[in-house]
Amino acid sequence: MTRKTAPSTTAGGARIPQARPPGEAGPAHRFDLLRQMMFIRQFEDKCVELYSGGEIHGFLHVYIGEEAVAVGVNSALTPEDSIVSTYREHGHALVRGVPLDCVMAEMFGKTTGCSYGRGGSMHLFDVSRRFYGGNAIVAGGLPLAVGLALADKMRGDARVTACFFGDGAVAEGEFHECMNLAALWDLPVLFCCENNRYAMGTAIERAQAQTDLALRAESYGMPAWPVDGMDVLAVAKAARLAAESVRSGGGPHFLELKTYRFRAHSMYDPDLYRDKAEIEQWKQRDPITALAGQMRAAGELTDTDIESARDEIAAEIDASVDSARAAPAEPVDDLTRFVYSRRSS
Amino acid sequence: MTRKTAPSTTAGGARIPQARPPGEAGPAHRFDLLRQMMFIRQFEDKCVELYSGGEIHGFLHVYIGEEAVAVGVNSALTPEDSIVSTYREHGHALVRGVPLDCVMAEMFGKTTGCSYGRGGSMHLFDVSRRFYGGNAIVAGGLPLAVGLALADKMRGDARVTACFFGDGAVAEGEFHECMNLAALWDLPVLFCCENNRYAMGTAIERAQAQTDLALRAESYGMPAWPVDGMDVLAVAKAARLAAESVRSGGGPHFLELKTYRFRAHSMYDPDLYRDKAEIEQWKQRDPITALAGQMRAAGELTDTDIESARDEIAAEIDASVDSARAAPAEPVDDLTRFVYSRRSS
Amino acid sequence: MSAKTSQHPAAAATAGEPATTTYREAMRAAIREAMRRDDRVFLMGEDVGSYGGCFAVSLGLLAEFGPERIRDTPLSESAFVGAGIGAAMGGMRPIVEIMTVNFSLLALDQILNNAATLLHMSGGQVNVPLVIRMTTGAGRQVAAQHSHSLEGWYAHIPGLRLVAPATLADARGMLWTALEDPDPVLIFEHGSLYNLRGTLDEDAGAVDIDSAAVRRTGGDVTVISYGGTLGKAMTAAGELAADGIDAEVIDLRTLRPLDDATIMASVGKTHRVVIVDEGWRSGSLSAEISARIMEQAFFELDAPVRRVCSAEVPIPYPRHLEEAALPQVDGIVAAVRAVVR
Amino acid sequence: MSAKTSQHPAAAATAGEPATTTYREAMRAAIREAMRRDDRVFLMGEDVGSYGGCFAVSLGLLAEFGPERIRDTPLSESAFVGAGIGAAMGGMRPIVEIMTVNFSLLALDQILNNAATLLHMSGGQVNVPLVIRMTTGAGRQVAAQHSHSLEGWYAHIPGLRLVAPATLADARGMLWTALEDPDPVLIFEHGSLYNLRGTLDEDAGAVDIDSAAVRRTGGDVTVISYGGTLGKAMTAAGELAADGIDAEVIDLRTLRPLDDATIMASVGKTHRVVIVDEGWRSGSLSAEISARIMEQAFFELDAPVRRVCSAEVPIPYPRHLEEAALPQVDGIVAAVRAVVR
Ligand SMILES: Cc1ncc(C[n+]2csc(CCOP(=O)(O)OP(=O)(O)O)c2C)c(N)n1
Ligand SMILES: Cc1ncc(C[n+]2csc(CCOP(=O)(O)OP(=O)(O)O)c2C)c(N)n1
Ligand SMILES: [Mg+2]
Ligand SMILES: [Mg+2]
């Protein structure tokens, strides 16, 4: 088997797919992407507030700064496609269409939550929308994605399974096994590596001998491109191209989405391991301000548009908090329900 | 980090190291290599006979056809270097200098065995010769090699740890984790991948998306070369070059030793999964006949040389069988000895 | 759950059209039947295809079903077990073969944190109708890394069902029932059983996977065993009978959930118990059974429950040491004598 | 092995120059001391360096010892645990930190098939003087994949020693003794203990890792616990004392090998036992302890041994459900009342 791709390299070292998807989408589409990113951002800002206020507990990993990745990739998927994600998956769940109220209620551990309150922040599920979680073992979701794709391929369903994971996951043995298996069996998986440069406190240079992760992925003989993960349009374009190829039998593809998390790894993290200046630099590239700026410059967006979107979203989120607060907690007697399908109590 | 090597590619696709080691060794050296290969071959022929005769039990994986790999690599090591191997390790143990009597007694499970009879064929150990086994979990030895090399590096000892494993092991997650770790930490490991084209009954094409294993290894940013594993001189040369580089601080190196096993995977294997013609073709490249042929053509070797070597070896092996037969078995009361260091019974 | 009394396979079958077969062939027949009945079923694992399975269980199936459904995998235990979980979530009914329990450790994270957990953690949404088969046990002189009996560990995991067929009928019949279970089922096949020979009705088929079986009725002592040690327990019972000690032998069949009712009913009758388990004694399944008898039948006991387990050592290669390390008929007989004394 | 009676850390220390500290700081002091005393010692694991350890245990050590000896690893549990084994074979004295027991499954093959097995399998040649530390347990609402208590599994493995420091003195003192052991030692630190505050002598140092400790003497019932549940057991004992029930509380300290002598001595005195274990009940360490009491002290028992364990469910996120799933003081009190009845 030979290498299946050799993406061209631009001067700056970033390689972009050679083929171009047919004409860009218009302003309405861009506004939609913007609004989705704002939605995730505002949702998570609220979560941080609720966590500090003692209403959300356990682990909370926010996606702030990385929204362009989930929004861009999701824009390339259809409702028939599947998603497997990590513990940093609020964004993926929301853009997938898991109802806000259900996601928020899950943060509160209520029975109206998308996982019945059982999972919390790290374990959002919505099988009706083919959203398969919410996996908190690093790289633990990759084999599931491979298996979902295997089922699709064996049945002849032309689905894509989008599998999200971080740069840290690339060091795990499971990553390797899954890349090989997907490539060997030509499975319809879209691997989406969210390279935010850190695995908790460990910078990628101290974790990966080869920090060019797309190059690493390519060594399995699979098309792999680095993408500017702070630019939602770039992500959307690359994802569309990749997803179309996957869907039409092109086998697995790998996107290295170069991004950054603006906040600490989790609410427990004092964030001592990186320079404040580095964080500030990346914040200059905030995907929301970036897209908004572009759209404003193109005359597609006014301050009022933004403000009213922000207000609408805020109202929706506030309502979801109210409904989550009011929702019932699971009775303790149901604790053992769903350990097995047949022995619900 | 950038890729550390880009070996040149010859017309036939096989890539050889660009630098050449200083002048080849002479006829005495070649005869030594030949005799070592013959030694392994005759040892294992005898083991197969003893297995069929009911004197050796359990799993027996012979190395017949692959002898050039162990002999060639070992010729590049010093007694201060370390070796970690697999369940197919008779050859590595013997060339390392583990005494024949001890290896044979181990096959019989006797207390004079190199592992006190506890391990049998798959678990040969000789710590005095820095021969660290004999690991029967595929890829299970790689982390040990990485750790031995880490200890050497932390102490400043200029040792090489040679780590043998098969093509099948390359699919395991542990392979990936260890390649990355060794490259990231620049550890003095010489990875020796014995690519005999099969993992049990699974041909490499059905196990690896990328069958060019050296290319795969290179993706970790480590020098990696394919080597004709049926040519002991080629192996010796590549190993010398690689080991010298490792020893002098060049970080881990990877050799893909292209070889073939002439016999079944183990004594249990009916060998139904490959063409007899394929086996016959590879037998044409028998590393022993190949080297003997070359040496004969160069006037360095006579039939008498070969015959007397063969007879000497046979006599040694017969003697080792006698001594193994006569050696004591471990008393059952000692069963729990060495579960812990301090509670020997 | 009720106990069923049935014959040890060594005894001749009594109904239907009995045919001579082996445990291996019975297992193969079960796979073949499942593949024919349900095209969502496929077999996946290392060397299940062209090699025919490392214990030759799937020999010939590749020719019948092709490489899509008799699917050889690379040496990637975590990935292919996890892929089995994903495929089950995606609507298939995979049978994943892990060559042996020894290698299953590499997939344990997937089995525990995904297969066993997804249903509960997702609030009842994610079913994992997966069957994992693996060989367990020692006895073939394959030494320390290839001789584990770790089914007791798996029996600790909520969300899994575990079965250990010890007879031809169970080798033939448990798989289909396992495949019909909406939750993950692990099948442990003891390596020493594959060549077990006996007769099986031509129409042998699915069997329950809920209950333990009383393989021999007796009134003096209850001997509890499963999988690879059932034969030894039966042999010991035979020897004891010659001495006038009448042992009841229970084959657990299902290791999780345990069939407490069958166990306690027997204890209530015999008041004396010996548990035989090839796992290392400390923390083996035998410990849980003993603890449950303590909890549920303490006042029935006339003597403390005894355990015959493996010695707590990595299993050594030489035959005499391996034999000394494993439960043997003599040890069972001695333990029974000690409790009936 | 003999039992030692000592105070629960909640009580004030009585000797030396007592200083207020925490379990986390005691652990850190132990690592620091070991690093200073022996330059073969180094600490390796995910985020032990610049992050300071996921539970802040190693915070500050990177500055003191540098990145060679406070060694951050990639997310590669199997490789870095195996590398710790190899480094130990090569003459170093590694302390490998696995963030939590949940992730240790990814390294279990290395721990079982290499660390625990090499010495026996090599006929006594290959020592593995390795210490592995990991956090265990639930209680912080981190849900199903992050709340395991799997130390019972490790306690099944011949060749390993397991300790579970439950007090400041043990957090401070067990590490050095473990490092002096020529064989692999696993240290299980319950996540709920790191903020435990108390006093510790300035000259506190190495402690034995062989024996259980009687943390409270009493004559009516023996409560056996370890690690994260010791505090709950002590609290329960306090409540029971108010009711005139005088409980003896044993802290196992070492989970393998178990200190049977201390356990049986207490059983011989109280004749009634409750075992508290945060593991899922079936197949937890509590089962082994119950089975041993059955075997060694059956005729001493006035009532069946009871167990207070975790419910057999993946631990759910909501606080009330998590609390319901774990052993709690009320449950211990109720179990004690039931056995002394
Ligand atoms: C197997 C495993 N090891 C360790 C952890 C603890 N942990 C949780 S997230 C994380 C960092 C992962 O980094 P990355 O994959 O880059 O994803 P990110 O958090 O940056 O999105 C670690 C070490 C875990 N959950 N699973
Ligand atoms: C983790 C693991 N999985 C499966 C096995 C069973 N097994 C033993 S050797 C082998 C094939 C290994 O092939 P390769 O690495 O190419 O080495 P070779 O035998 O060809 O020398 C297999 C599958 C094992 N020992 N360990
Ligand atoms: Mg990251
Ligand atoms: Mg091979």
Side-chain angles (χ1 to χ4, degrees):
Chain A
M1 191 172 293
T2 56
R3 295 160 112 182
K4 288 182 190 153
T5 183
S8 65
T9 305
T10 67
R15 282 159 297 137
I16 49 161
Q18 289 177 293
R20 296 274 158 185
E24 310 292 58
H29 177 64
R30 283 190 285 277
F31 185 73
D32 185 38
L33 299 180
L34 180 69
R35 195 180 190 283
Q36 289 185 47
M37 293 196 291
M38 291 172 63
F39 200 105
I40 300 174
R41 179 73 56 92
Q42 289 177 244
F43 175 86
E44 295 200 313
D45 281 338
K46 176 61 74 177
C47 287
V48 169
E49 183 191 317
L50 292 164
Y51 194 98
S52 307
E55 292 190 84
I56 295 178
H57 304 272
F59 276 134
L60 179 71
H61 307 87
V62 293
Y63 198 57
I64 295 174
E66 309 187 33
E67 296 89 345
V69 174
V71 172
V73 170
N74 185 68
S75 73
L77 303 179
T78 77
E80 270 310 290
D81 296 331
S82 308
I83 294 184
V84 174
S85 186
T86 68
Y87 46 86
R88 196 183 298 287
E89 89 286 32
H90 310 142
H92 309 103
L94 290 169
V95 297
R96 182 59 182 180
V98 185
L100 168 63
D101 281 358
C102 299
V103 178
M104 186 59 87
E106 191 60 37
M107 310 299 292
F108 279 74
K110 298 298 185 71
T111 53
T112 51
C114 61
S115 303
Y116 206 69
R118 292 280 185 77
S121 162
M122 300 198 291
H123 302 300
L124 307 175
F125 284 86
D126 187 344
V127 169
S128 71
R129 290 178 179 80
R130 305 191 68 82
F131 187 79
Y132 292 102
N135 202 301
I137 302 296
V138 171
L142 277 79
L144 304 185
V146 168
L148 285 161
L150 174 61
D152 290 336
K153 177 156 176 149
M154 288 183 80
R155 263 195 315 260
D157 292 343
R159 279 199 190 103
V160 174
T161 297
C163 179
F164 293 89
F165 53 94
D167 50 293
V170 172
E172 291 283 4
E174 236 156 9
F175 165 82
H176 168 73
E177 295 186 1
C178 289
M179 294 292 285
N180 183 50
L181 208 59
L184 182 71
W185 291 350
D186 251 320
L187 299 179
V189 185
L190 178 57
F191 291 104
C192 301
C193 178
E194 305 183 311
N195 180 2
N196 62 10
R197 307 195 53 75
Y198 288 88
M200 277 184 69
T202 304
I204 184 165
E205 293 76 16
R206 293 189 298 112
Q208 306 287 345
Q210 171 55 272
T211 56
D212 184 339
L213 301 181
L215 193 66
R216 282 290 296 287
E218 238 180 66
S219 80
Y220 297 90
M222 126 178 17
W225 316 313
V227 181
D228 179 355
M230 305 308 271
D231 177 350
V232 69
L233 299 178
V235 174
K237 192 188 300 177
R240 206 176 330 134
L241 194 73
E244 272 162 25
S245 176
V246 171
R247 205 186 316 281
S248 57
H253 284 54
F254 181 100
L255 298 178
E256 180 195 356
L257 303 142
K258 291 172 179 281
T259 182
Y260 198 80
R261 62 169 158 73
F262 294 170
R263 299 189 59 110
H265 169 75
S266 75
M267 298 301 288
Y268 285 106
D269 172 11
D271 210 343
L272 303 172
Y273 44 81
R274 51 182 191 173
D275 229 8
K276 297 291 165 267
E278 179 184 295
I279 303 176
E280 286 314 311
Q281 242 178 335
W282 278 90
K283 281 190 176 168
Q284 299 309 310
R285 300 177 53 198
D286 186 320
I288 298 177
T289 12
L291 178 59
Q294 264 176 265
M295 291 177 69
R296 252 199 224 90
E300 293 174 17
L301 187 76
T302 66
D303 286 354
T304 332
D305 294 337
I306 294 235
E307 273 153 37
S308 62
R310 187 181 296 139
D311 293 348
E312 272 170 42
I313 294 169
E316 282 186 67
I317 288 172
D318 286 344
S320 79
V321 172
D322 291 342
S323 107
R325 283 184 182 136
E330 186 174 6
V332 165
D333 284 348
D334 284 358
L335 179 64
T336 59
R337 196 176 161 202
F338 301 133
V339 176
Y340 295 95
S341 303
R342 287 179 175 157
R343 263 147 295 172
S344 8
S345 62
Chain B
M1 189 172 292
T2 56
R3 296 161 111 181
K4 288 181 187 154
T5 182
S8 66
T9 305
T10 67
R15 281 158 297 138
I16 51 161
Q18 288 177 294
R20 295 273 158 187
E24 309 291 58
H29 177 63
R30 283 190 285 276
F31 184 73
D32 185 38
L33 299 181
L34 180 69
R35 195 182 190 283
Q36 288 185 48
M37 293 196 290
M38 292 172 62
F39 200 104
I40 301 173
R41 179 73 56 91
Q42 289 176 243
F43 175 85
E44 295 201 312
D45 281 338
K46 176 61 75 178
C47 286
V48 169
E49 183 190 319
L50 292 164
Y51 194 97
S52 307
E55 292 190 87
I56 295 178
H57 304 273
F59 277 134
L60 179 71
H61 307 88
V62 295
Y63 197 57
I64 294 175
E66 309 187 32
E67 297 89 345
V69 174
V71 171
V73 170
N74 186 67
S75 73
L77 303 178
T78 78
E80 270 308 292
D81 296 331
S82 308
I83 294 184
V84 174
S85 187
T86 67
Y87 47 86
R88 196 183 298 288
E89 88 287 31
H90 311 141
H92 310 103
L94 290 169
V95 297
R96 183 58 183 181
V98 185
L100 168 63
D101 281 358
C102 299
V103 178
M104 187 59 87
E106 191 60 36
M107 310 298 293
F108 279 75
K110 297 299 184 73
T111 55
T112 51
C114 61
S115 303
Y116 206 67
R118 292 281 186 77
S121 162
M122 299 198 292
H123 302 301
L124 306 176
F125 283 88
D126 187 343
V127 168
S128 71
R129 290 179 179 79
R130 305 191 66 81
F131 187 80
Y132 292 102
N135 202 301
I137 303 296
V138 171
L142 276 81
L144 304 184
V146 168
L148 285 161
L150 174 62
D152 291 335
K153 175 152 179 155
M154 288 183 81
R155 263 195 316 259
D157 292 344
R159 277 197 193 106
V160 174
T161 297
C163 178
F164 294 90
F165 54 93
D167 49 294
V170 171
E172 291 282 4
E174 236 156 9
F175 164 82
H176 168 73
E177 295 186 0
C178 290
M179 294 293 286
N180 183 49
L181 208 59
L184 182 71
W185 291 350
D186 251 320
L187 299 179
V189 184
L190 178 57
F191 291 103
C192 301
C193 178
E194 304 183 313
N195 179 1
N196 62 10
R197 307 196 54 75
Y198 288 88
M200 280 185 65
T202 303
I204 183 165
E205 292 79 14
R206 292 190 299 113
Q208 307 287 345
Q210 171 55 272
T211 56
D212 184 339
L213 301 181
L215 193 66
R216 284 290 296 286
E218 239 180 66
S219 79
Y220 297 90
M222 132 178 9
W225 316 313
V227 182
D228 179 356
M230 304 309 272
D231 177 350
V232 71
L233 299 177
V235 175
K237 190 188 301 177
R240 206 175 330 132
L241 194 73
E244 272 161 24
S245 175
V246 171
R247 204 185 317 280
S248 58
H253 283 54
F254 181 99
L255 299 178
E256 180 194 355
L257 303 141
K258 290 171 179 282
T259 182
Y260 198 80
R261 64 171 157 71
F262 294 170
R263 300 189 58 110
H265 169 75
S266 76
M267 299 299 289
Y268 284 106
D269 172 11
D271 210 343
L272 303 173
Y273 45 80
R274 50 182 193 174
D275 230 9
K276 297 292 164 266
E278 178 184 296
I279 304 176
E280 286 315 311
Q281 243 179 334
W282 277 90
K283 281 190 176 167
Q284 301 308 310
R285 299 177 54 198
D286 186 321
I288 298 177
T289 12
L291 179 59
Q294 265 176 264
M295 291 178 69
R296 253 201 223 89
E300 292 174 19
L301 188 75
T302 65
D303 286 355
T304 333
D305 294 338
I306 295 235
E307 273 154 36
S308 63
R310 187 179 296 139
D311 293 348
E312 274 170 41
I313 295 169
E316 281 186 67
I317 288 172
D318 286 344
S320 79
V321 172
D322 291 342
S323 108
R325 283 183 181 138
E330 185 173 6
V332 165
D333 285 348
D334 284 358
L335 179 64
T336 60
R337 197 176 162 203
F338 301 133
V339 176
Y340 296 95
S341 303
R342 288 180 175 155
R343 265 146 297 173
S344 6
S345 62
Chain C
M1 280 183 269
S2 68
K4 59 173 201 160
T5 304
S6 63
Q7 297 260 297
H8 188 252
T14 46
E17 182 100 50
T20 296
T21 188
T22 63
Y23 185 97
R24 172 183 291 110
E25 287 162 4
M27 203 67 232
R28 186 185 305 141
I31 299 171
R32 182 181 286 123
E33 183 202 3
M35 302 275 296
R36 287 183 183 163
R37 271 171 88 158
D38 186 343
D39 58 17
R40 297 171 306 172
V41 173
F42 65 102
L43 177 69
M44 165 163 74
E46 290 162 11
D47 285 312
V48 296
S50 35
Y51 191 97
C54 63
F55 290 92
V57 168
S58 51
L59 200 67
L61 298 183
L62 176 65
E64 182 170 353
F65 299 103
E68 284 285 306
R69 295 185 67 202
I70 303 291
R71 186 172 279 268
D72 276 327
T73 68
L75 276 129
S76 304
E77 284 80 3
S78 193
F80 73 74
V81 170
I85 299 168
M89 288 160 62
M92 302 298 283
R93 291 291 177 279
I95 305 170
V96 172
E97 175 176 314
I98 303 177
M99 282 185 168
T100 71
V101 70
N102 311 285
F103 319 139
S104 75
L105 300 181
L106 297 168
L108 183 50
D109 169 64
Q110 285 296 322
I111 297 172
L112 169 54
N113 283 315
N114 283 336
T117 300
L118 281 165
L119 182 68
H120 191 269
M121 180 167 83
S122 67
Q125 288 177 82
V126 181
N127 270 109
V128 183
L130 168 71
V131 171
I132 302 177
R133 298 173 42 236
M134 58 182 111
T135 302
T136 188
R140 298 171 305 120
Q141 287 191 255
V142 290
Q145 295 179 330
H146 276 65
S147 300
H148 299 302
S149 289
L150 295 172
E151 49 276 10
W153 279 0
Y154 289 96
H156 182 54
I157 304 178
L160 298 184
R161 176 182 290 272
L162 261 69
V163 300
T167 66
L168 298 193
D170 281 349
R172 180 67 183 82
M174 281 178 154
L175 179 70
W176 182 253
T177 319
L179 282 166
E180 288 197 305
D181 199 296
D183 302 321
V185 179
L186 272 52
I187 304 182
F188 289 88
E189 305 164 15
H190 194 287
S192 68
L193 292 174
Y194 289 116
N195 292 328
L196 183 70
R197 188 167 286 282
T199 54
L200 197 60
D201 290 353
E202 281 294 350
D203 58 357
V207 297
D208 85 281
I209 54 171
D210 298 305
S211 57
V214 176
R215 297 293 182 195
R216 184 185 194 284
T217 53
D220 295 335
V221 59
T222 300
V223 179
I224 300 172
S225 71
Y226 67 91
T229 55
L230 176 63
K232 292 175 181 176
M234 292 296 285
T235 306
E239 287 188 17
L240 289 159
D243 274 18
I245 298 171
D246 190 19
E248 178 142 309
V249 179
I250 292 179
D251 171 4
L252 290 173
R253 300 183 69 248
T254 297
L255 310 186
R256 183 181 182 97
L258 285 168
D259 176 3
D260 289 353
T262 297
I263 295 170
M264 302 313 154
S266 183
V267 176
K269 187 170 76 169
T270 64
H271 312 293
R272 292 160 198 276
V273 186
V274 169
I275 309 168
V276 188
D277 186 342
E278 201 179 296
W280 290 310
R281 172 186 305 256
S282 293
S284 62
L285 189 63
S286 71
E288 177 61 27
I289 298 167
S290 176
R292 290 192 184 194
I293 294 170
M294 165 82 85
E295 285 153 5
Q296 298 174 39
F298 179 72
F299 297 103
E300 294 290 344
L301 289 175
D302 286 344
V305 171
R306 287 207 167 224
R307 294 184 286 166
V308 180
C309 299
S310 283
E312 305 204 23
V313 301
I315 305 299
Y317 161 65
R319 175 164 302 166
H320 68 294
L321 294 180
E322 181 178 48
E323 281 175 358
L326 304 180
Q328 302 295 355
V329 172
D330 284 358
I332 301 169
V333 167
V336 167
R337 284 193 209 285
V339 297
V340 299
R341 197 176 45 201
Chain D
M1 282 184 268
S2 68
K4 59 174 201 161
T5 303
S6 62
Q7 296 262 297
H8 189 253
T14 46
E17 182 102 51
T20 295
T21 187
T22 63
Y23 185 96
R24 173 183 291 109
E25 286 162 5
M27 204 65 232
R28 186 186 305 141
I31 298 171
R32 182 181 284 122
E33 183 201 4
M35 300 277 295
R36 288 184 182 161
R37 269 171 90 159
D38 185 343
D39 59 16
R40 298 172 305 172
V41 173
F42 65 102
L43 177 69
M44 165 161 74
E46 291 162 11
D47 285 312
V48 296
S50 35
Y51 191 99
C54 62
F55 289 92
V57 168
S58 51
L59 200 67
L61 298 183
L62 177 65
E64 181 171 353
F65 299 103
E68 284 285 304
R69 295 184 68 202
I70 302 292
R71 187 172 279 268
D72 276 328
T73 67
L75 276 127
S76 304
E77 285 79 4
S78 193
F80 73 73
V81 170
I85 299 168
M89 288 160 61
M92 302 298 283
R93 292 291 178 276
I95 305 171
V96 172
E97 174 176 316
I98 304 177
M99 283 187 168
T100 70
V101 70
N102 310 286
F103 319 139
S104 75
L105 300 181
L106 297 168
L108 183 49
D109 169 64
Q110 285 296 322
I111 297 173
L112 169 54
N113 282 316
N114 283 335
T117 300
L118 281 165
L119 182 69
H120 192 269
M121 180 167 84
S122 68
Q125 288 177 81
V126 181
N127 270 108
V128 183
L130 168 71
V131 171
I132 302 178
R133 299 173 43 235
M134 58 182 112
T135 302
T136 188
R140 298 173 303 118
Q141 288 190 254
V142 290
Q145 294 179 331
H146 276 65
S147 300
H148 298 303
S149 289
L150 295 171
E151 50 274 10
W153 278 1
Y154 289 96
H156 182 55
I157 304 178
L160 299 184
R161 176 183 289 273
L162 260 70
V163 301
T167 66
L168 297 192
D170 281 350
R172 180 65 183 83
M174 282 179 154
L175 179 69
W176 181 254
T177 319
L179 282 166
E180 288 197 305
D181 198 296
D183 302 321
V185 180
L186 272 52
I187 304 183
F188 289 87
E189 305 164 16
H190 195 286
S192 68
L193 293 173
Y194 289 115
N195 292 327
L196 183 71
R197 188 168 285 282
T199 54
L200 197 59
D201 291 354
E202 281 293 350
D203 58 358
V207 297
D208 86 279
I209 55 170
D210 296 306
S211 56
V214 176
R215 298 293 182 195
R216 183 185 195 285
T217 53
D220 295 335
V221 59
T222 300
V223 179
I224 300 173
S225 71
Y226 67 90
T229 55
L230 177 62
K232 293 175 180 176
M234 292 297 285
T235 305
E239 288 189 17
L240 289 160
D243 274 16
I245 298 171
D246 189 20
E248 177 144 308
V249 179
I250 293 181
D251 172 5
L252 290 173
R253 299 182 70 248
T254 297
L255 310 186
R256 184 182 182 96
L258 285 168
D259 176 3
D260 289 353
T262 297
I263 295 170
M264 302 312 154
S266 184
V267 177
K269 189 170 74 167
T270 65
H271 312 293
R272 293 160 198 277
V273 187
V274 170
I275 309 169
V276 188
D277 186 342
E278 201 179 297
W280 290 310
R281 172 186 305 255
S282 293
S284 62
L285 188 63
S286 70
E288 177 61 26
I289 297 166
S290 176
R292 289 193 186 194
I293 294 170
M294 165 82 85
E295 285 154 5
Q296 298 174 39
F298 179 72
F299 297 104
E300 294 290 345
L301 289 175
D302 287 343
V305 172
R306 286 205 168 224
R307 295 184 284 167
V308 181
C309 300
S310 283
E312 305 204 23
V313 300
I315 305 299
Y317 161 65
R319 174 163 303 163
H320 68 294
L321 293 180
E322 181 178 48
E323 281 176 357
L326 304 180
Q328 303 295 355
V329 172
D330 283 358
I332 301 170
V333 168
V336 167
R337 284 193 210 285
V339 297
V340 298
R341 197 176 43 201

